[in-house]
Amino acid sequence: MHQGVAVGPSASQVGEMLTQKRSPWLDRIGSLLTALLVSGLLLGWLRAISALNGFYLFALGGIGAALASLVFLFRRVRGQALGTAGVLTCSAGLVFVLAVGTSSGDGPPINDFTTDLDNPPAFAHARTLPANLGRDMSYPADFAPQQRECCASLAPQTFDAAPRKTLNTIATAAAAEPQWTVTAVNPETGTLEAVATSYIFGFQDDVVIRVAPQGTGSRVDIRSKSRDGKSDLGANAARIRGFQNQLSSQIR
């Protein structure tokens, strides 16, 4: 009587088994990275931690998730299902990439922008705020050539309206800005100061607007300075341009 011989799986079957096999370590890493990204966003939004710490958590989780996503997608091409962890990791990586890609821009490694490089508007009330005590609030001289190279279009605005009327319109427009808190308006010096706070992480930037007589009208200069980080990814320049557009439509 002929004795049957057991035949093992073929090479293609072995390959299929390997690609279909789950990778607990990759799932755990992906889940951890996703948790870091979400924690950074949530804790920053709740103001439970500092803006920088929230951003660091978000960036650490986002960079890691973006890299881990490549591994998940490679394994998916090889036939392995993404699973819940894979879907979450890829989603976290995509969120991070989109967030970086839609930021205001690269810009030079500076965090203080002004429309008057020769005589930048000076902060007065901002110096008395607790977060700024002991900080140098002057405009760094070495920032000027870098701003000229990247943002030559940042320039003063001139209006036919008298300075006092212009300042009143500016105060109304600044108070209507959803991310701004007006902290001081000084008609004697023709200045307005405000704090701009980002939605997600709560980064705060100080803003000062100066109105000066020019002929029978007025000249308006704006300065926006970050409290954190060495580079603002173009946020301050974008803020100045955005507010200038507002003024152009409201002041004649």
Side-chain angles (χ1 to χ4, degrees), residues 85-117:
V87 171
L88 292 176
T89 304
C90 290
S91 298
L94 180 61
V95 167
F96 178 76
V97 170
L98 290 176
V100 173
T102 56
S103 63
S104 299
D106 294 330
I110 62 176
N111 61 5
D112 194 340
F113 287 78
T114 177
T115 59
D116 188 347
L117 292 171

PDB file of all heavy atoms in Angstrom, residues 85-117:
ATOM      1  N   ALA A  85      -4.929  50.469  13.372  1.00  0.00           N
ATOM      2  CA  ALA A  85      -3.719  51.229  13.694  1.00  0.00           C
ATOM      3  C   ALA A  85      -3.117  51.853  12.440  1.00  0.00           C
ATOM      4  O   ALA A  85      -2.664  52.999  12.446  1.00  0.00           O
ATOM      5  CB  ALA A  85      -2.698  50.344  14.393  1.00  0.00           C
ATOM      6  N   GLY A  86      -3.117  51.098  11.347  1.00  0.00           N
ATOM      7  CA  GLY A  86      -2.561  51.602  10.104  1.00  0.00           C
ATOM      8  C   GLY A  86      -3.363  52.772   9.548  1.00  0.00           C
ATOM      9  O   GLY A  86      -2.791  53.760   9.075  1.00  0.00           O
ATOM     10  N   VAL A  87      -4.682  52.649   9.602  1.00  0.00           N
ATOM     11  CA  VAL A  87      -5.544  53.726   9.110  1.00  0.00           C
ATOM     12  C   VAL A  87      -5.333  54.992   9.942  1.00  0.00           C
ATOM     13  O   VAL A  87      -5.209  56.100   9.406  1.00  0.00           O
ATOM     14  CB  VAL A  87      -7.021  53.295   9.151  1.00  0.00           C
ATOM     15  CG1 VAL A  87      -7.936  54.480   8.850  1.00  0.00           C
ATOM     16  CG2 VAL A  87      -7.274  52.174   8.156  1.00  0.00           C
ATOM     17  N   LEU A  88      -5.282  54.834  11.272  1.00  0.00           N
ATOM     18  CA  LEU A  88      -5.087  55.992  12.148  1.00  0.00           C
ATOM     19  C   LEU A  88      -3.724  56.629  11.933  1.00  0.00           C
ATOM     20  O   LEU A  88      -3.600  57.863  11.900  1.00  0.00           O
ATOM     21  CB  LEU A  88      -5.251  55.568  13.612  1.00  0.00           C
ATOM     22  CG  LEU A  88      -6.661  55.163  14.042  1.00  0.00           C
ATOM     23  CD1 LEU A  88      -6.654  54.668  15.486  1.00  0.00           C
ATOM     24  CD2 LEU A  88      -7.628  56.330  13.890  1.00  0.00           C
ATOM     25  N   THR A  89      -2.704  55.797  11.782  1.00  0.00           N
ATOM     26  CA  THR A  89      -1.348  56.327  11.577  1.00  0.00           C
ATOM     27  C   THR A  89      -1.245  57.079  10.262  1.00  0.00           C
ATOM     28  O   THR A  89      -0.673  58.177  10.193  1.00  0.00           O
ATOM     29  CB  THR A  89      -0.317  55.191  11.616  1.00  0.00           C
ATOM     30  OG1 THR A  89      -0.428  54.480  12.854  1.00  0.00           O
ATOM     31  CG2 THR A  89       1.099  55.738  11.477  1.00  0.00           C
ATOM     32  N   CYS A  90      -1.783  56.507   9.202  1.00  0.00           N
ATOM     33  CA  CYS A  90      -1.758  57.177   7.898  1.00  0.00           C
ATOM     34  C   CYS A  90      -2.548  58.480   7.932  1.00  0.00           C
ATOM     35  O   CYS A  90      -2.144  59.482   7.333  1.00  0.00           O
ATOM     36  CB  CYS A  90      -2.305  56.254   6.816  1.00  0.00           C
ATOM     37  SG  CYS A  90      -1.224  54.843   6.428  1.00  0.00           S
ATOM     38  N   SER A  91      -3.658  58.481   8.661  1.00  0.00           N
ATOM     39  CA  SER A  91      -4.463  59.705   8.788  1.00  0.00           C
ATOM     40  C   SER A  91      -3.688  60.772   9.550  1.00  0.00           C
ATOM     41  O   SER A  91      -3.695  61.954   9.164  1.00  0.00           O
ATOM     42  CB  SER A  91      -5.775  59.405   9.513  1.00  0.00           C
ATOM     43  OG  SER A  91      -6.553  58.472   8.783  1.00  0.00           O
ATOM     44  N   ALA A  92      -3.004  60.364  10.626  1.00  0.00           N
ATOM     45  CA  ALA A  92      -2.211  61.321  11.404  1.00  0.00           C
ATOM     46  C   ALA A  92      -1.073  61.884  10.566  1.00  0.00           C
ATOM     47  O   ALA A  92      -0.790  63.089  10.602  1.00  0.00           O
ATOM     48  CB  ALA A  92      -1.655  60.637  12.659  1.00  0.00           C
ATOM     49  N   GLY A  93      -0.409  61.015   9.799  1.00  0.00           N
ATOM     50  CA  GLY A  93       0.667  61.484   8.933  1.00  0.00           C
ATOM     51  C   GLY A  93       0.169  62.459   7.887  1.00  0.00           C
ATOM     52  O   GLY A  93       0.828  63.463   7.590  1.00  0.00           O
ATOM     53  N   LEU A  94      -1.024  62.194   7.339  1.00  0.00           N
ATOM     54  CA  LEU A  94      -1.604  63.083   6.325  1.00  0.00           C
ATOM     55  C   LEU A  94      -1.955  64.432   6.931  1.00  0.00           C
ATOM     56  O   LEU A  94      -1.721  65.477   6.312  1.00  0.00           O
ATOM     57  CB  LEU A  94      -2.839  62.426   5.719  1.00  0.00           C
ATOM     58  CG  LEU A  94      -3.568  63.229   4.634  1.00  0.00           C
ATOM     59  CD1 LEU A  94      -2.642  63.476   3.445  1.00  0.00           C
ATOM     60  CD2 LEU A  94      -4.829  62.490   4.174  1.00  0.00           C
ATOM     61  N   VAL A  95      -2.523  64.423   8.132  1.00  0.00           N
ATOM     62  CA  VAL A  95      -2.864  65.667   8.818  1.00  0.00           C
ATOM     63  C   VAL A  95      -1.613  66.525   9.011  1.00  0.00           C
ATOM     64  O   VAL A  95      -1.620  67.739   8.767  1.00  0.00           O
ATOM     65  CB  VAL A  95      -3.528  65.381  10.186  1.00  0.00           C
ATOM     66  CG1 VAL A  95      -3.584  66.648  11.037  1.00  0.00           C
ATOM     67  CG2 VAL A  95      -4.928  64.821   9.983  1.00  0.00           C
ATOM     68  N   PHE A  96      -0.531  65.889   9.426  1.00  0.00           N
ATOM     69  CA  PHE A  96       0.709  66.636   9.664  1.00  0.00           C
ATOM     70  C   PHE A  96       1.256  67.217   8.361  1.00  0.00           C
ATOM     71  O   PHE A  96       1.649  68.386   8.310  1.00  0.00           O
ATOM     72  CB  PHE A  96       1.751  65.732  10.313  1.00  0.00           C
ATOM     73  CG  PHE A  96       3.067  66.418  10.552  1.00  0.00           C
ATOM     74  CD1 PHE A  96       3.220  67.312  11.591  1.00  0.00           C
ATOM     75  CD2 PHE A  96       4.151  66.164   9.722  1.00  0.00           C
ATOM     76  CE1 PHE A  96       4.423  67.964  11.806  1.00  0.00           C
ATOM     77  CE2 PHE A  96       5.364  66.803   9.933  1.00  0.00           C
ATOM     78  CZ  PHE A  96       5.501  67.703  10.984  1.00  0.00           C
ATOM     79  N   VAL A  97       1.294  66.409   7.317  1.00  0.00           N
ATOM     80  CA  VAL A  97       1.813  66.879   6.029  1.00  0.00           C
ATOM     81  C   VAL A  97       0.978  68.040   5.500  1.00  0.00           C
ATOM     82  O   VAL A  97       1.523  69.035   4.999  1.00  0.00           O
ATOM     83  CB  VAL A  97       1.845  65.727   5.013  1.00  0.00           C
ATOM     84  CG1 VAL A  97       2.158  66.238   3.605  1.00  0.00           C
ATOM     85  CG2 VAL A  97       2.889  64.687   5.414  1.00  0.00           C
ATOM     86  N   LEU A  98      -0.341  67.948   5.619  1.00  0.00           N
ATOM     87  CA  LEU A  98      -1.215  69.028   5.150  1.00  0.00           C
ATOM     88  C   LEU A  98      -1.019  70.286   5.987  1.00  0.00           C
ATOM     89  O   LEU A  98      -1.029  71.404   5.458  1.00  0.00           O
ATOM     90  CB  LEU A  98      -2.676  68.585   5.201  1.00  0.00           C
ATOM     91  CG  LEU A  98      -3.095  67.520   4.189  1.00  0.00           C
ATOM     92  CD1 LEU A  98      -4.544  67.105   4.423  1.00  0.00           C
ATOM     93  CD2 LEU A  98      -2.908  68.025   2.760  1.00  0.00           C
ATOM     94  N   ALA A  99      -0.842  70.109   7.302  1.00  0.00           N
ATOM     95  CA  ALA A  99      -0.645  71.262   8.175  1.00  0.00           C
ATOM     96  C   ALA A  99       0.639  72.000   7.824  1.00  0.00           C
ATOM     97  O   ALA A  99       0.675  73.237   7.770  1.00  0.00           O
ATOM     98  CB  ALA A  99      -0.606  70.819   9.637  1.00  0.00           C
ATOM     99  N   VAL A 100       1.695  71.257   7.562  1.00  0.00           N
ATOM    100  CA  VAL A 100       2.969  71.876   7.195  1.00  0.00           C
ATOM    101  C   VAL A 100       2.866  72.505   5.813  1.00  0.00           C
ATOM    102  O   VAL A 100       3.356  73.613   5.572  1.00  0.00           O
ATOM    103  CB  VAL A 100       4.104  70.835   7.230  1.00  0.00           C
ATOM    104  CG1 VAL A 100       5.398  71.427   6.674  1.00  0.00           C
ATOM    105  CG2 VAL A 100       4.321  70.335   8.650  1.00  0.00           C
ATOM    106  N   GLY A 101       2.202  71.803   4.896  1.00  0.00           N
ATOM    107  CA  GLY A 101       2.105  72.288   3.524  1.00  0.00           C
ATOM    108  C   GLY A 101       1.264  73.531   3.375  1.00  0.00           C
ATOM    109  O   GLY A 101       1.451  74.307   2.437  1.00  0.00           O
ATOM    110  N   THR A 102       0.309  73.743   4.302  1.00  0.00           N
ATOM    111  CA  THR A 102      -0.577  74.901   4.198  1.00  0.00           C
ATOM    112  C   THR A 102      -0.193  76.013   5.163  1.00  0.00           C
ATOM    113  O   THR A 102      -0.969  76.939   5.393  1.00  0.00           O
ATOM    114  CB  THR A 102      -2.039  74.495   4.472  1.00  0.00           C
ATOM    115  OG1 THR A 102      -2.124  73.864   5.769  1.00  0.00           O
ATOM    116  CG2 THR A 102      -2.539  73.538   3.414  1.00  0.00           C
ATOM    117  N   SER A 103       1.000  75.925   5.782  1.00  0.00           N
ATOM    118  CA  SER A 103       1.457  76.988   6.670  1.00  0.00           C
ATOM    119  C   SER A 103       1.711  78.245   5.843  1.00  0.00           C
ATOM    120  O   SER A 103       1.775  78.205   4.618  1.00  0.00           O
ATOM    121  CB  SER A 103       2.728  76.581   7.418  1.00  0.00           C
ATOM    122  OG  SER A 103       3.790  76.367   6.504  1.00  0.00           O
ATOM    123  N   SER A 104       1.894  79.367   6.518  1.00  0.00           N
ATOM    124  CA  SER A 104       2.029  80.650   5.829  1.00  0.00           C
ATOM    125  C   SER A 104       3.219  80.694   4.875  1.00  0.00           C
ATOM    126  O   SER A 104       3.246  81.457   3.932  1.00  0.00           O
ATOM    127  CB  SER A 104       2.164  81.774   6.862  1.00  0.00           C
ATOM    128  OG  SER A 104       1.022  81.823   7.674  1.00  0.00           O
ATOM    129  N   GLY A 105       4.215  79.883   5.124  1.00  0.00           N
ATOM    130  CA  GLY A 105       5.391  79.867   4.251  1.00  0.00           C
ATOM    131  C   GLY A 105       6.646  79.637   5.050  1.00  0.00           C
ATOM    132  O   GLY A 105       6.635  79.627   6.270  1.00  0.00           O
ATOM    133  N   ASP A 106       7.742  79.437   4.345  1.00  0.00           N
ATOM    134  CA  ASP A 106       8.999  79.166   5.021  1.00  0.00           C
ATOM    135  C   ASP A 106       9.556  80.440   5.669  1.00  0.00           C
ATOM    136  O   ASP A 106       9.646  80.557   6.864  1.00  0.00           O
ATOM    137  CB  ASP A 106      10.010  78.573   4.031  1.00  0.00           C
ATOM    138  CG  ASP A 106       9.566  77.205   3.543  1.00  0.00           C
ATOM    139  OD1 ASP A 106       8.893  76.524   4.321  1.00  0.00           O
ATOM    140  OD2 ASP A 106       9.881  76.853   2.403  1.00  0.00           O
ATOM    141  N   GLY A 107       9.928  81.387   4.833  1.00  0.00           N
ATOM    142  CA  GLY A 107      10.444  82.642   5.352  1.00  0.00           C
ATOM    143  C   GLY A 107      11.805  82.467   5.996  1.00  0.00           C
ATOM    144  O   GLY A 107      12.269  81.355   6.235  1.00  0.00           O
ATOM    145  N   PRO A 108      12.460  83.573   6.309  1.00  0.00           N
ATOM    146  CA  PRO A 108      13.760  83.512   6.970  1.00  0.00           C
ATOM    147  C   PRO A 108      13.585  83.140   8.440  1.00  0.00           C
ATOM    148  O   PRO A 108      12.479  83.227   8.979  1.00  0.00           O
ATOM    149  CB  PRO A 108      14.281  84.945   6.811  1.00  0.00           C
ATOM    150  CG  PRO A 108      13.047  85.779   6.766  1.00  0.00           C
ATOM    151  CD  PRO A 108      12.033  84.946   6.029  1.00  0.00           C
ATOM    152  N   PRO A 109      14.663  82.755   9.120  1.00  0.00           N
ATOM    153  CA  PRO A 109      14.560  82.358  10.535  1.00  0.00           C
ATOM    154  C   PRO A 109      14.468  83.562  11.464  1.00  0.00           C
ATOM    155  O   PRO A 109      15.323  83.778  12.326  1.00  0.00           O
ATOM    156  CB  PRO A 109      15.845  81.559  10.752  1.00  0.00           C
ATOM    157  CG  PRO A 109      16.815  82.180   9.806  1.00  0.00           C
ATOM    158  CD  PRO A 109      16.000  82.532   8.583  1.00  0.00           C
ATOM    159  N   ILE A 110      13.443  84.390  11.262  1.00  0.00           N
ATOM    160  CA  ILE A 110      13.204  85.538  12.130  1.00  0.00           C
ATOM    161  C   ILE A 110      11.746  85.524  12.564  1.00  0.00           C
ATOM    162  O   ILE A 110      10.916  84.881  11.938  1.00  0.00           O
ATOM    163  CB  ILE A 110      13.549  86.878  11.429  1.00  0.00           C
ATOM    164  CG1 ILE A 110      12.660  87.087  10.194  1.00  0.00           C
ATOM    165  CG2 ILE A 110      15.027  86.913  11.034  1.00  0.00           C
ATOM    166  CD1 ILE A 110      12.885  88.435   9.503  1.00  0.00           C
ATOM    167  N   ASN A 111      11.445  86.241  13.636  1.00  0.00           N
ATOM    168  CA  ASN A 111      10.079  86.216  14.166  1.00  0.00           C
ATOM    169  C   ASN A 111       9.546  87.601  14.503  1.00  0.00           C
ATOM    170  O   ASN A 111       8.670  87.749  15.350  1.00  0.00           O
ATOM    171  CB  ASN A 111      10.008  85.319  15.407  1.00  0.00           C
ATOM    172  CG  ASN A 111      10.904  85.823  16.536  1.00  0.00           C
ATOM    173  OD1 ASN A 111      11.514  86.890  16.435  1.00  0.00           O
ATOM    174  ND2 ASN A 111      10.983  85.063  17.616  1.00  0.00           N
ATOM    175  N   ASP A 112      10.097  88.622  13.841  1.00  0.00           N
ATOM    176  CA  ASP A 112       9.692  90.001  14.103  1.00  0.00           C
ATOM    177  C   ASP A 112       9.678  90.738  12.764  1.00  0.00           C
ATOM    178  O   ASP A 112      10.721  90.853  12.107  1.00  0.00           O
ATOM    179  CB  ASP A 112      10.696  90.641  15.068  1.00  0.00           C
ATOM    180  CG  ASP A 112      10.185  91.948  15.674  1.00  0.00           C
ATOM    181  OD1 ASP A 112       9.269  92.549  15.093  1.00  0.00           O
ATOM    182  OD2 ASP A 112      10.723  92.364  16.712  1.00  0.00           O
ATOM    183  N   PHE A 113       8.486  91.231  12.356  1.00  0.00           N
ATOM    184  CA  PHE A 113       8.346  91.892  11.057  1.00  0.00           C
ATOM    185  C   PHE A 113       7.724  93.269  11.253  1.00  0.00           C
ATOM    186  O   PHE A 113       6.887  93.468  12.142  1.00  0.00           O
ATOM    187  CB  PHE A 113       7.481  91.060  10.107  1.00  0.00           C
ATOM    188  CG  PHE A 113       8.168  89.835   9.583  1.00  0.00           C
ATOM    189  CD1 PHE A 113       8.285  88.697  10.361  1.00  0.00           C
ATOM    190  CD2 PHE A 113       8.713  89.814   8.301  1.00  0.00           C
ATOM    191  CE1 PHE A 113       8.926  87.562   9.881  1.00  0.00           C
ATOM    192  CE2 PHE A 113       9.361  88.691   7.807  1.00  0.00           C
ATOM    193  CZ  PHE A 113       9.467  87.556   8.600  1.00  0.00           C
ATOM    194  N   THR A 114       8.102  94.205  10.387  1.00  0.00           N
ATOM    195  CA  THR A 114       7.595  95.563  10.487  1.00  0.00           C
ATOM    196  C   THR A 114       7.519  96.201   9.107  1.00  0.00           C
ATOM    197  O   THR A 114       8.245  95.809   8.191  1.00  0.00           O
ATOM    198  CB  THR A 114       8.499  96.421  11.400  1.00  0.00           C
ATOM    199  OG1 THR A 114       8.013  97.759  11.433  1.00  0.00           O
ATOM    200  CG2 THR A 114       9.940  96.418  10.896  1.00  0.00           C
ATOM    201  N   THR A 115       6.662  97.210   9.001  1.00  0.00           N
ATOM    202  CA  THR A 115       6.558  97.946   7.735  1.00  0.00           C
ATOM    203  C   THR A 115       7.546  99.108   7.681  1.00  0.00           C
ATOM    204  O   THR A 115       7.673  99.766   6.656  1.00  0.00           O
ATOM    205  CB  THR A 115       5.132  98.488   7.546  1.00  0.00           C
ATOM    206  OG1 THR A 115       4.809  99.347   8.649  1.00  0.00           O
ATOM    207  CG2 THR A 115       4.129  97.349   7.457  1.00  0.00           C
ATOM    208  N   ASP A 116       8.233  99.370   8.786  1.00  0.00           N
ATOM    209  CA  ASP A 116       9.227 100.453   8.832  1.00  0.00           C
ATOM    210  C   ASP A 116      10.522  99.906   9.414  1.00  0.00           C
ATOM    211  O   ASP A 116      10.687  99.832  10.634  1.00  0.00           O
ATOM    212  CB  ASP A 116       8.708 101.617   9.676  1.00  0.00           C
ATOM    213  CG  ASP A 116       9.621 102.842   9.594  1.00  0.00           C
ATOM    214  OD1 ASP A 116      10.755 102.707   9.089  1.00  0.00           O
ATOM    215  OD2 ASP A 116       9.201 103.923  10.053  1.00  0.00           O
ATOM    216  N   LEU A 117      11.451  99.548   8.549  1.00  0.00           N
ATOM    217  CA  LEU A 117      12.713  98.965   8.999  1.00  0.00           C
ATOM    218  C   LEU A 117      13.672 100.017   9.549  1.00  0.00           C
ATOM    219  O   LEU A 117      14.571  99.692  10.327  1.00  0.00           O
ATOM    220  CB  LEU A 117      13.377  98.206   7.855  1.00  0.00           C
ATOM    221  CG  LEU A 117      12.643  96.939   7.400  1.00  0.00           C
ATOM    222  CD1 LEU A 117      13.267  96.394   6.114  1.00  0.00           C
ATOM    223  CD2 LEU A 117      12.671  95.886   8.489  1.00  0.00           C
TER     224      LEU A 117
END
